[in-house]
Amino acid sequence: MKFDPVLFAKAIADETRQKIMGECCCNWLSVSEIVEKVGFTQPTISHHLAILRDANLVKIREEGKQTFYSLNQEYIAVCCGQIMVKFAPETSVTENLLKVINQ
Amino acid sequence: MKFDPVLFAKAIADETRQKIMGECCCNWLSVSEIVEKVGFTQPTISHHLAILRDANLVKIREEGKQTFYSLNQEYIAVCCGQIMVKFAPETSVTENLLKVINQ
DNA sequence: TTATTATATAGACAAACGTCTATTTGTCAA
DNA sequence: TTGACAAATAGACGTTTGTCTATATAATAA
């Protein structure tokens, strides 16, 4: 998956999607469970999940009738790292990040 | 400045603004210089600069008739770090980042 | 003062976006 | 095969966003 900083930013640039991301950050949730936790209609949640999926920000596991989603933490870390390298290259935080990555 | 992950994401979620950010990442540019480099009208560039300013992503220096902008790299690094901690806490990259920050 | 230059602000307009209801698709149980 | 449930898709609708032109504000030069 090629990194696109605008696509990534657009995907996370919404209150509802960030709520969804928070809910399925460290665990797998079905769509219905996310609907319950976030509190919009099922189609609205599916719509947001599709945007997150298209940006590669969620992992998917189908199981019978249900579909489970979990945050793609590795890729999110990569995206944030790339943005730091691109827009904050002269900071110590980014320099340390690069040191760790290139070692 | 209180960190707001949605405000930050919205601010960088636009092609034109990311071009502007790239241009004034490591140097100070006047509005006219940015207009020249990015290629939209001056009011459009001013509009985007206002959004970046409201999100604390640019530093400003007024000098006579001109206003110079430069990326606020430190704050951008902080924002990316916060997003990593929030949405990618279980990755090694984030763990290293936290180690560096807390030392 | 008046003219010029640099930037910001106001307002218009089309495109993109977030939400909803209605419907479709796919899976499982009876 | 029928019925029920889970999720995705389609389409409508109001809101937000990005761009433009026109204008206002502020600083400098003549």
Side-chain angles (χ1 to χ4, degrees):
Chain A
M1 174 104 195
K2 179 95 179 54
F3 170 64
D4 176 344
V6 175
L7 181 68
F8 170 70
K10 278 182 189 287
I12 68 170
D14 179 76
E15 178 93 45
T16 304
R17 283 196 291 278
Q18 287 205 13
K19 270 189 202 157
I20 294 172
M21 291 170 73
E23 292 296 344
C24 62
C25 176
C26 296
N27 51 340
W28 291 88
L29 292 179
S30 69
V31 176
S32 333
E33 287 172 318
I34 299 170
V35 167
E36 207 175 294
K37 286 175 183 291
V38 174
F40 282 101
T41 64
Q42 174 267 311
T44 295
I45 297 298
S46 279
H47 165 74
H48 288 302
L49 286 170
I51 290 170
L52 293 174
R53 181 187 349 113
D54 292 348
N56 195 31
L57 301 192
V58 287
K59 295 179 288 184
I60 302 181
R61 211 182 66 214
E62 315 221 341
E63 213 163 282
K65 287 190 283 196
Q66 306 187 76
T67 308
F68 291 87
Y69 288 84
S70 181
L71 257 204
N72 187 350
Q73 297 190 38
E74 282 71 23
Y75 187 67
I76 290 172
V78 168
C79 290
C80 289
Q82 296 274 0
I83 290 175
M84 287 169 72
V85 169
K86 192 164 184 189
F87 298 126
E90 296 171 334
T91 64
S92 57
V93 183
T94 304
E95 280 165 12
N96 271 303
L97 188 96
L98 282 173
K99 234 179 269 171
V100 170
I101 288 173
N102 294 325
Q103 85 195 352
Chain B
M1 174 106 196
K2 178 96 179 52
F3 170 64
D4 176 344
V6 176
L7 181 69
F8 170 70
K10 277 183 190 287
I12 68 170
D14 179 77
E15 178 92 46
T16 305
R17 283 196 292 278
Q18 286 204 14
K19 268 187 205 162
I20 294 172
M21 291 170 73
E23 292 297 343
C24 63
C25 177
C26 296
N27 51 339
W28 290 88
L29 292 179
S30 69
V31 176
S32 334
E33 287 171 318
I34 298 171
V35 167
E36 206 174 298
K37 286 175 184 291
V38 175
F40 283 101
T41 63
Q42 174 268 312
T44 294
I45 297 298
S46 279
H47 165 73
H48 287 302
L49 286 170
I51 290 170
L52 293 173
R53 182 189 346 114
D54 292 347
N56 196 31
L57 302 193
V58 286
K59 297 179 286 184
I60 301 179
R61 212 183 64 216
E62 315 220 341
E63 213 163 282
K65 286 189 283 194
Q66 305 188 75
T67 308
F68 291 88
Y69 289 83
S70 182
L71 258 204
N72 187 349
Q73 297 190 39
E74 281 70 23
Y75 187 68
I76 290 172
V78 168
C79 290
C80 289
Q82 297 274 0
I83 289 175
M84 287 171 71
V85 169
K86 192 165 184 190
F87 298 125
E90 297 172 333
T91 63
S92 56
V93 183
T94 305
E95 280 165 14
N96 272 303
L97 188 97
L98 282 172
K99 232 178 272 172
V100 170
I101 290 173
N102 295 325
Q103 84 195 351

